Amino acid sequence: MQKSVRYNEGHALYLAFLARKEGTKRGFLSKKAAEASRWHEKWFALYQNVLFYFEGEQSGRPAGMYLLEGCSCERTPAPPRTSAGPAGARDALDKQYYFTVLFGHEGQKPLELRCEEEQAGKEWMEAIHQASYADILIEREVLMQKYIHLVQIVETEKIAANQLRHQLEDQDTEIERLKSEIVALNKTKERMRPYHSHQEDEDPDIKKIKKVQSFMRGWLCRRKWKTIVQDYICSPHAESMRKRNQIVFTMVEAETEYVHQLYILVNGFLRPLRMAASSKKPPISHDDVSSIFLNSETIMFLHEIFHQGLKARLANWPTLVLADLFDILLPMLNIYQEFVRNHQYSLQVLANCKQNRDFDKLLKQYEANPACEGRMLETFLTYPMFQIPRYIITLHELLAHTPHEHVERKSLEFAKSKLEELSRVMHDEVSDTENIRKNLAIERMIVEGCDILLDTSQTFIRQGSLIQVPSVERGKLSKVRLGSLSLKKEGERQCFLFTKHFLICTRSSGGKLHLLKTGGVLSLIQCTLIEEPDASDDDSKGSGHMFGHLDFKIVVEPPDAAPFTVVLLAPSRQEKAAWMSDISQCVDNIRCNGLMTIVFEENSKVTVPHMIKSDARLHKDDTDICFSKTLNSCKVPQIRYASVERLLERLTDLRFLSIDFLNTFLHTYRIFTTATVVLAKLSDIYKRPFTSIPVRSLELFFATSPNNRGEHMVDGKSPRLCRKFSSPPPLAVSRTSSPVRARKLSLTSSLNARIGALDLTTSSCSSSPTTHSPTASPPPHTAVLESSPADRAGDSTELSPCRSPSTPRHLRYRQPGGQAADSSHCSVSPASAFAIATAAAGHGSPPGFNNTERTCDKEFIIRRTATNRVLNVLRHWVSKHAQDFELNNELKMNVLNLLEEVLRDPDLLPQERKATANILRALSQDDQDDIHLKLEDIIQMTDCPKAECFETLSAMELAEQITLLDHVVFRSIPYEEFLGQGWMKLDKNERTPYIMKTSQHFNEMSNLVASQIMNYADISSRANAIEKWVAVADICRCLHNYNGVLEITAALNRSAIYRLKKTWAKVSKQTKALMDKLQKTVSSEGRFKNLRETLKNCNPPAVPYLGMYLTDLAFIEEGTPNFTEEGLVNFSKMRMISHIIREIRQFQQTAYRIDQQPKVIQYLLDKALIIDEDTLYELSLKIEPRLPA
């Protein structure tokens, strides 16, 4: 049995006496008894942290006591009252103040109290809170953290003191040794003294001669030493050491500034917000504080220790040894991974918390601290992001000025390599989560949600606005016009393309997205893209004329529902070509990968990803290539560095083609190669696939028969090793002779059933090939490939109605039904299946052939695959990078010659011939977008006879025409001008003329706004002009023209206008609040953080601020080189540049549907209305003179 706790009753009575006499708070309170609803009035007295209660005010002995240390006090609502009793009594009870004292330890019931008045209750709660010592406990925790930090510093100093003690001991030993040598020398001197006394009797002339000789020897020695010193001072080694010391001094200053920034972040924001989170009404939770600041406090402690070490090293100048400091620092820098990985999320949490007014007010109070120097919290949170790159740059500069024989050369090189490895890991983690965040942002915009976007392998490709054309019965398109307002409004869809799915959404009036109930989520593996309607199809022909050939179709054949067709209408031919290129690329990749998975799993137990990973050159570093840990869309590690030859090899590798790699290569190839070299590589792959394609790429097709592969590669005289075009192209098979219009490879059924034959679904010849109706379409036919004996015998000379003229004779197509096919007999080889998928034709080679037929089959497949890959790259190049051919006529002619040569290939498959013709047609078009306004048209509009004046134009007209002009100027910039920072060079007008025109247009529009306001002499007219321009800026914001918003706000913030206090006093409060909102949207704070977030959530068409992207590109160009020290291309840098260019082109490609008004445009472009800056300021001083001092 546990004994009761003893305590000194006399001492307790003495404390009770002091509480009655000198208590902090005394008075009557009602205490709730153990029963449910019993309250007893007691007299309470509070002394220090002990609360006594007595039966009455005159009682000398306490009835009980409570220790309040560590407790908390909070108000509780009044308990519900029964209806019994008089009304006055109930009102009196309701007015009473209830509060509860909660004790921190278990086993202690809470103390429930009440008082008659609310003011008395608040005073009791405040007194109890002070008696709980909560503030002292928090301060104790802070002091404990400081104590731990100081203990670490003391331990470091102890180690340094021990080292110093050892050095002193060594020096004492050295002193003793030197003393012994001095004693020995003195003894020698004593022995030599008689000899010197004898020399004192020498002749005085001889003494003078010796003195002169001694003087000359000393002068010569000093001169020689001075020469040596001067030579060293002027030597490269001394210059290198001076620069090295300067770098070290600069690094110490930067580290001091960085530690100061971290100190402000922790002590000025983190710790006060932690205290605020522990208050009664917290404006922010502890979880949000942790999410915003992450491990910044730990980073501060680490760098304080590192900074102390640097200052200690400076005390030993000129001997500056830093390698051991970096050896200590390197293992601890892994804490930056957590900070960098979650930095974007922390900024999002901070933005969400700012929606709380109390938190925003508190944060502005912290930011007003003089130590912050006007910087926001986001700025301080960004500083740690640049620390690791700064260390790398510093070490790189140190190594550049550190001799190879220097004692710490190897240590510094090791530290630099470790930091670069850490930087790569951090960069890979950030880039890996960037796509996930993009998908989640789109998923949050969709009201119903979208589960497929939660797949981490789903990569975002593009988004934009398309018009969905409605369809009626029998697959006939409704006769609607392209310019119909109802079609534009009701049929407009927001479309999102990912690597595996295509989303079609509608946008509500509130800006939210809704997936279509039918056909909102299209799985690309079930889709067939119809690029050009067939000329013989009356319906397709009519729709082509009706829509100006801007429509394309997606045929969807779900396995558990009837097939249907989605007809989409693009705003321009260029955008249609871009959409079709991306969609077809995704479909080709999915089908190719899926088919390879099916076929190779049937022949072996190794899956395709494992098979690709078996090639070490695809994912392991080599002398000419280096990979990162991030996977691309083909599930292969992304390239970090590579030689030009390896990049061209990856571009034409037959095993896979990554969309992100292809986009990055075509955007940035000018930096490391030329278009002629790229086209020559494609031409070699097409003409000589066996000699141009690397052996490791061909191993995929010969995995089952390596002996045959060796024979092909050795036999250089084979007629199939190169292409010959002695015969004219075969005639195309007419539609009446072939009941099969198109063949689509079914991957899902084969994957589940694991059968040997390949299923080919075909559509009926009587129905439209692009429009399927549940009632009109017949059930799909299933066909298998087999080898016909008659074909092998060669006695069939008539064309099969189901076979192309270019199909090898031993390949036949038959309808199943008469007899069941043996699975072992009908299984298709991996190479044949690969050719079917990549060439989009139903031709295959079953096993069971003799060696000659199998050899022909594999050679045919490789040539078809190489052709398909070349056409795929050319289609992407021509459709999405047409500017390359508009500016380089020689390149255009070479591509046309290559395509014409492809068309002369007698073995060309029908689908390849159609794709080649489409590329030729797109490349031969002189004007891709006749409907769009050109920059030259704008210049010609200034010749209009009469322009409107500012008073007669509405804000809507001005905003629309400003948006139209800004977008035309913005979309005219070719993407090659974004490479190489040409806008910052001396010859920028020649290298980047369109970027300079965009900058000039921005300045002219801003000058026009300022000049128009200053033209008015009276205050009211100027105030009205300001309000009108702010309204124009707000309409530009609604039109997503953020460049126009910045043009107007920049004009209003000019000193000539901003100083007009009397004019601004006449401007309404609503206009001022609206202007503050617009300025916050386009503010440059945090690298245009608000503008980036706005652009991320808006859909094209839009006009972003070009300077934001130019700043990003300049940061990338200056921070990382184009080539490594080994001469490899920095492809990670190319990927970052391509990402920015893709975002720019996304906004360039989608045009506004705004009608041009020549008179308004002529007013906006009238340079006679513009007043120069000096004249503007003089007018401002004349309107409102300076006040006397």
Side-chain angles (χ1 to χ4, degrees):
M1 180 176 179
Q2 185 178 2
K3 296 181 180 181
S4 60
V5 179
R6 295 181 180 180
Y7 73 99
N8 193 333
E9 184 176 2
H11 186 63
L13 293 176
Y14 175 71
L15 292 177
F17 171 74
L18 291 178
R20 289 176 55 82
K21 184 178 180 181
E22 304 173 357
T24 307
K25 184 69 177 175
R26 293 167 291 181
F28 283 98
L29 293 174
S30 296
K31 172 178 175 293
K32 189 175 182 180
E35 293 80 6
S37 61
R38 287 290 190 89
W39 291 86
H40 301 288
E41 190 175 32
K42 306 289 184 183
W43 194 81
F44 285 78
L46 177 63
Y47 181 74
Q48 292 183 356
N49 64 336
V50 184
L51 179 64
F52 296 91
Y53 64 92
F54 303 82
E55 293 297 334
E57 187 175 0
Q58 303 301 327
S59 300
R61 187 179 183 87
M65 58 184 288
Y66 292 95
L67 292 176
L68 300 180
E69 184 172 352
C71 71
S72 61
C73 186
E74 60 184 20
R75 185 178 179 180
T76 56
R81 303 295 179 187
T82 58
S83 59
R90 291 199 303 272
D91 293 342
L93 290 174
D94 292 337
K95 293 180 180 179
Q96 291 181 342
Y97 191 86
Y98 293 82
F99 59 95
T100 303
V101 180
L102 303 173
F103 300 94
H105 51 275
E106 298 180 357
Q108 179 66 44
K109 297 181 179 179
L111 175 61
E112 299 184 24
L113 302 173
R114 74 180 182 188
C115 61
E116 300 297 332
E117 298 179 358
E118 182 178 357
Q119 183 62 30
K122 291 182 177 179
E123 291 176 358
W124 271 105
M125 288 182 63
E126 182 64 25
I128 293 173
H129 176 72
Q130 292 180 359
S132 65
Y133 300 152
D135 297 335
I136 296 176
L137 291 176
I138 295 174
E139 185 176 358
R140 175 184 173 275
E141 182 181 353
V142 174
L143 291 175
M144 183 57 68
Q145 292 178 355
K146 292 183 178 179
Y147 169 73
I148 294 173
H149 178 215
L150 291 175
V151 168
Q152 294 176 350
I153 294 176
V154 169
E155 292 296 329
T156 305
E157 294 297 332
K158 285 183 179 179
I159 295 174
N162 288 332
Q163 294 177 352
L164 184 60
R165 190 180 299 110
H166 290 308
Q167 291 178 3
L168 291 175
E169 292 175 356
D170 295 340
Q171 290 176 359
D172 290 340
T173 306
E174 183 68 16
I175 290 172
E176 293 297 330
R177 186 183 65 80
L178 292 175
K179 285 181 179 180
S180 61
E181 290 183 0
I182 291 173
V183 171
L185 289 174
N186 288 336
K187 292 180 179 179
T188 305
K189 186 177 180 181
E190 290 293 335
R191 290 196 298 267
M192 295 294 294
R193 184 170 297 174
Y195 173 76
H196 288 294
S197 61
H198 176 72
Q199 289 182 342
E200 291 178 357
D201 300 333
E202 292 181 354
D203 188 8
D205 294 336
I206 294 178
K207 289 183 178 181
K208 289 180 182 180
I209 292 173
K210 289 183 176 180
K211 187 175 181 179
V212 171
Q213 289 177 344
S214 176
F215 174 78
M216 290 299 297
R217 282 195 299 268
W219 179 77
L220 290 173
C221 288
R222 286 193 297 272
R223 182 181 177 184
K224 186 176 181 180
W225 177 249
K226 185 178 180 180
T227 304
I228 293 173
V229 171
Q230 288 179 348
D231 291 343
Y232 176 75
I233 291 174
C234 300
S235 66
H237 184 274
E239 181 66 22
S240 179
M241 288 297 101
R242 281 194 295 272
K243 291 182 178 179
R244 187 177 188 274
N245 291 339
Q246 185 62 39
I247 292 170
V248 174
F249 298 150
T250 305
M251 184 181 72
V252 175
E253 293 175 359
E255 191 70 21
T256 304
E257 177 64 21
Y258 181 57
V259 171
H260 180 64
Q261 293 163 355
L262 291 176
Y263 179 83
I264 296 175
L265 176 64
V266 173
N267 293 280
F269 293 97
L270 172 58
R271 289 173 180 170
L273 286 176
R274 278 181 183 169
M275 296 288 290
S278 302
S279 61
K280 297 177 185 176
K281 297 181 180 179
I284 185 174
S285 64
H286 283 286
D287 291 339
D288 287 342
V289 173
S290 300
S291 300
I292 292 173
F293 293 93
L294 303 171
N295 57 347
S296 54
E297 192 171 15
T298 307
I299 294 175
M300 183 191 73
F301 290 150
L302 172 64
H303 285 277
E304 282 180 344
I305 297 173
F306 182 63
H307 183 235
Q308 293 293 335
L310 285 177
K311 290 196 296 185
R313 291 297 187 275
L314 286 182
N316 296 328
W317 188 86
T319 305
L320 295 177
V321 180
L322 304 175
D324 57 341
L325 279 180
F326 278 101
D327 291 340
I328 299 173
L329 181 66
L330 283 176
M332 304 179 187
L333 287 181
N334 290 326
I335 61 177
Y336 273 94
Q337 287 183 259
E338 178 186 353
F339 191 94
V340 174
R341 186 188 308 118
N342 299 296
H343 175 67
Q344 187 69 25
Y345 175 71
S346 69
L347 295 181
Q348 293 176 0
V349 173
L350 178 60
N352 294 334
C353 292
K354 280 188 174 182
Q355 304 299 324
N356 185 354
R357 292 184 178 179
D358 295 336
F359 175 79
D360 191 45
K361 181 179 179 181
L362 183 64
L363 184 60
K364 288 181 179 178
Q365 179 182 346
Y366 294 155
E367 291 174 347
N369 189 341
C372 296
E373 298 177 351
R375 291 171 291 183
M376 301 174 64
L377 175 57
E378 291 89 341
T379 305
F380 288 98
L381 290 174
T382 308
Y383 286 140
M385 297 289 293
F386 304 102
Q387 192 61 17
I388 300 297
R390 187 169 66 82
Y391 282 149
I392 295 175
I393 294 173
T394 301
L395 287 177
H396 183 77
E397 294 175 350
L398 269 178
L399 287 171
H401 300 291
T402 301
H404 289 278
E405 65 275 5
H406 197 275
V407 66
E408 56 177 1
R409 172 83 185 187
K410 293 184 178 179
S411 299
L412 291 178
E413 289 178 346
F414 175 76
K416 178 173 173 287
S417 64
K418 287 297 181 181
L419 284 173
E420 289 176 343
E421 181 180 355
L422 177 62
S423 178
R424 284 195 295 268
V425 172
M426 291 161 56
H427 176 270
D428 294 340
E429 290 178 349
V430 172
S431 60
D432 196 22
T433 55
E434 181 180 356
N435 180 69
I436 297 175
R437 291 196 177 107
K438 176 69 175 177
N439 293 355
L440 292 178
I442 297 174
E443 198 271 341
R444 285 193 296 269
M445 293 167 57
I446 301 174
V447 176
E448 300 85 358
C450 190
D451 294 338
I452 65 165
L453 297 184
L454 304 180
D455 183 8
T456 56
S457 62
Q458 194 84 258
T459 305
F460 172 77
I461 303 298
R462 68 181 288 119
Q463 73 180 69
S465 297
L466 298 173
I467 296 177
Q468 184 175 3
V469 181
S471 58
V472 295
E473 294 182 356
R474 298 180 183 178
K476 298 294 183 180
L477 295 175
S478 59
K479 303 303 180 182
V480 292
R481 294 184 178 273
L482 179 59
S484 173
L485 292 177
S486 62
L487 178 59
K488 289 184 178 180
K489 292 182 179 179
E490 298 176 4
E492 185 171 3
R493 303 287 185 261
Q494 296 297 327
C495 300
F496 300 89
L497 176 62
F498 298 87
T499 50
K500 298 180 181 179
H501 291 83
F502 185 75
L503 305 186
I504 304 177
C505 306
T506 59
R507 184 179 293 278
S508 63
S509 58
K512 292 291 185 179
L513 297 178
H514 298 270
L515 284 172
L516 295 181
K517 295 182 179 179
T518 303
V521 180
L522 305 181
S523 178
L524 294 180
I525 198 173
Q526 303 167 0
C527 297
T528 301
L529 178 65
I530 307 299
E531 300 182 4
E532 291 291 339
D534 191 77
S536 62
D537 189 354
D538 296 336
D539 180 40
S540 299
K541 184 176 180 179
S543 66
H545 290 294
M546 187 185 309
F547 300 129
H549 298 284
L550 298 179
D551 58 324
F552 60 94
K553 304 177 183 179
I554 301 177
V555 180
V556 186
E557 296 177 323
D560 52 353
F564 61 93
T565 299
V566 178
V567 182
L568 297 172
L569 193 63
S572 63
R573 293 180 180 177
Q574 182 180 4
E575 192 160 354
K576 173 189 173 183
W579 275 104
M580 289 195 307
S581 176
D582 287 337
I583 294 174
S584 61
Q585 186 63 63
C586 293
V587 173
D588 288 348
N589 282 347
I590 292 175
R591 292 185 178 177
C592 175
N593 294 336
L595 181 63
M596 290 170 64
T597 302
I598 297 167
V599 175
F600 279 100
E601 285 184 355
E602 290 171 359
N603 290 274
S604 67
K605 299 300 181 182
V606 181
T607 60
V608 172
H610 293 159
M611 180 186 61
I612 292 179
K613 288 181 180 180
S614 64
D615 186 355
R617 295 175 65 88
L618 287 180
H619 58 88
K620 289 188 178 180
D621 296 348
D622 204 345
T623 55
D624 57 352
I625 195 167
C626 178
F627 294 93
S628 66
K629 295 182 180 179
T630 306
L631 303 182
N632 59 18
S633 57
C634 292
K635 298 304 177 186
V636 175
Q638 289 183 346
I639 299 175
R640 180 173 293 277
Y641 310 114
S643 62
V644 178
E645 292 75 15
R646 289 301 296 268
L647 292 176
L648 291 172
E649 177 185 318
R650 180 60 63 94
L651 180 69
T652 55
D653 199 316
L654 303 184
R655 289 170 288 192
F656 55 85
L657 182 62
S658 171
I659 298 177
D660 49 1
F661 173 81
L662 185 58
N663 282 327
T664 302
F665 185 91
L666 292 178
H667 275 138
T668 61
Y669 71 86
R670 290 175 180 79
I671 298 177
F672 51 86
T673 186
T674 62
T676 305
V677 175
V678 177
L679 184 60
K681 180 67 175 179
L682 295 175
S683 179
D684 288 342
I685 293 296
Y686 168 72
K687 295 178 181 179
R688 294 176 290 275
F690 285 90
T691 57
S692 300
I693 299 175
V695 176
R696 54 182 169 274
S697 183
L698 297 177
E699 287 175 354
L700 174 68
F701 303 93
F702 299 102
T704 57
S705 58
N707 296 330
N708 291 339
R709 176 180 62 84
E711 294 173 3
H712 304 325
M713 304 308 295
V714 171
D715 187 9
K717 298 180 180 180
S718 174
R720 294 184 178 269
L721 292 181
C722 58
R723 300 176 185 269
K724 294 183 179 181
F725 308 111
S726 56
S727 59
L731 295 176
V733 181
S734 64
R735 185 184 178 192
T736 56
S737 65
S738 176
V740 180
R741 281 283 300 138
R743 299 180 182 179
K744 179 179 178 297
L745 190 64
S746 176
L747 302 180
T748 54
S749 59
S750 301
L751 182 61
N752 296 330
R754 291 284 189 264
I755 61 175
L758 290 174
D759 295 336
L760 302 174
T761 58
T762 62
S763 58
S764 174
C765 62
S766 60
S767 63
S768 173
T770 60
T771 305
H772 296 268
S773 174
T775 57
S777 287
H781 302 286
T782 303
V784 296
L785 295 170
E786 73 168 14
S787 177
S788 172
D791 288 335
R792 288 196 297 269
D795 56 355
S796 176
T797 59
E798 189 175 315
L799 269 178
S800 171
C802 301
R803 195 186 66 182
S804 168
S806 61
T807 307
R809 185 173 297 276
H810 62 275
L811 300 178
R812 299 286 289 190
Y813 174 88
R814 70 171 179 82
Q815 299 284 350
Q819 56 185 0
D822 186 16
S823 62
S824 62
H825 178 70
C826 297
S827 61
V828 182
S829 66
S832 301
F834 186 83
I836 295 171
T838 54
H843 305 293
S845 175
F849 304 148
N850 55 38
N851 292 335
T852 304
E853 291 172 342
R854 183 170 300 177
T855 301
C856 296
D857 181 26
K858 292 182 178 178
E859 292 178 357
F860 173 79
I861 290 165
I862 292 176
R863 290 191 287 111
R864 297 274 60 80
T865 307
T867 302
N868 184 72
R869 177 50 46 86
V870 171
L871 292 177
N872 211 338
V873 175
L874 286 177
R875 177 182 60 188
H876 206 84
W877 197 357
V878 170
S879 62
K880 300 188 70 175
H881 304 270
Q883 294 173 346
D884 292 6
F885 307 95
E886 295 172 1
L887 303 176
N888 190 343
N889 190 53
E890 182 182 358
L891 175 65
K892 180 177 179 180
M893 295 306 300
N894 291 336
V895 174
L896 288 173
N897 294 334
L898 176 61
L899 292 173
E900 291 173 357
E901 187 176 354
V902 173
L903 283 178
R904 293 194 295 269
D905 186 358
D907 293 335
L908 202 66
L909 298 178
Q911 284 72 17
E912 295 174 345
R913 190 175 302 279
K914 185 176 181 179
T916 307
N918 288 337
I919 300 173
L920 270 172
R921 188 184 304 111
L923 194 60
S924 302
Q925 290 177 353
D926 295 332
D927 190 3
Q928 293 190 354
D929 280 321
D930 297 331
I931 63 174
H932 288 312
L933 191 66
K934 297 293 189 298
L935 191 60
E936 293 75 13
D937 301 334
I938 296 176
I939 300 175
Q940 294 177 1
M941 287 181 186
T942 57
D943 300 332
C944 293
K946 182 181 179 181
E948 298 283 347
C949 60
F950 179 70
E951 293 80 3
T952 60
L953 298 174
S954 66
M956 179 63 74
E957 290 175 333
L958 287 170
E960 287 184 345
Q961 298 308 306
I962 288 174
T963 301
L964 181 62
L965 289 176
D966 287 350
H967 189 266
V968 169
V969 175
F970 174 70
R971 74 187 299 270
S972 65
I973 305 174
Y975 67 90
E976 58 264 19
E977 289 193 7
F978 296 112
L979 304 176
Q981 286 183 284
W983 62 90
M984 299 178 67
K985 309 297 183 183
L986 294 177
D987 55 344
K988 55 187 176 183
N989 292 322
E990 291 76 20
R991 298 183 62 174
T992 56
Y994 289 94
I995 289 181
M996 301 315 298
K997 287 180 182 178
T998 305
S999 177
Q1000 179 184 357
H1001 176 72
F1002 181 95
N1003 295 331
E1004 289 176 352
M1005 291 301 301
S1006 183
N1007 291 336
L1008 175 65
V1009 175
S1011 302
Q1012 187 64 56
I1013 295 173
M1014 297 300 297
N1015 277 334
Y1016 295 101
D1018 57 309
I1019 295 177
S1020 300
S1021 299
R1022 287 196 301 274
N1024 293 334
I1026 290 175
E1027 292 182 350
K1028 187 173 182 179
W1029 279 118
V1030 173
V1032 172
D1034 190 47
I1035 298 174
C1036 288
R1037 178 189 62 83
C1038 298
L1039 294 173
H1040 297 167
N1041 180 14
Y1042 301 101
N1043 185 72
V1045 175
L1046 198 55
E1047 288 171 349
I1048 297 174
T1049 55
L1052 297 177
N1053 283 320
R1054 287 192 174 187
S1055 57
I1057 297 178
Y1058 187 77
R1059 63 175 298 276
L1060 301 177
K1061 299 186 181 298
K1062 296 179 181 179
T1063 304
W1064 283 103
K1066 290 285 186 179
V1067 178
S1068 63
K1069 293 182 180 179
Q1070 293 82 357
T1071 301
K1072 292 180 180 178
L1074 179 58
M1075 184 176 173
D1076 291 340
K1077 177 183 176 182
L1078 295 174
Q1079 285 181 330
K1080 188 175 181 181
T1081 301
V1082 296
S1083 172
S1084 61
E1085 281 290 333
R1087 295 175 59 246
F1088 296 93
K1089 178 178 68 70
N1090 295 333
L1091 181 57
R1092 292 179 195 274
E1093 191 68 25
T1094 304
L1095 288 171
K1096 187 185 299 182
N1097 296 327
C1098 83
N1099 293 318
V1103 186
Y1105 175 53
L1106 182 63
M1108 176 181 67
Y1109 296 114
L1110 297 182
T1111 303
D1112 294 343
L1113 291 171
F1115 182 79
I1116 294 173
E1117 291 283 0
E1118 293 175 359
T1120 51
N1122 292 332
F1123 298 91
T1124 64
E1125 296 178 355
E1126 294 78 14
L1128 302 181
V1129 179
N1130 188 352
F1131 206 67
S1132 292
K1133 176 181 177 179
M1134 306 300 135
R1135 194 177 295 110
M1136 290 187 288
I1137 294 175
S1138 175
H1139 176 77
I1140 296 175
I1141 294 178
R1142 283 203 301 270
E1143 187 173 347
I1144 294 174
R1145 297 192 70 193
Q1146 175 185 349
F1147 294 117
Q1148 284 183 326
Q1149 290 173 353
T1150 307
Y1152 281 93
R1153 297 167 186 167
I1154 297 176
D1155 296 330
Q1156 51 182 314
Q1157 300 182 25
K1159 291 186 177 180
V1160 183
I1161 293 179
Q1162 203 270 342
Y1163 161 75
L1164 294 173
L1165 298 179
D1166 190 359
K1167 296 183 179 179
L1169 300 175
I1170 298 176
I1171 305 174
D1172 62 274
E1173 186 71 25
D1174 295 336
T1175 308
L1176 275 177
Y1177 199 77
E1178 292 176 0
L1179 280 175
S1180 178
L1181 292 175
K1182 183 178 179 181
I1183 292 172
E1184 292 188 17
R1186 289 193 182 98
L1187 296 176

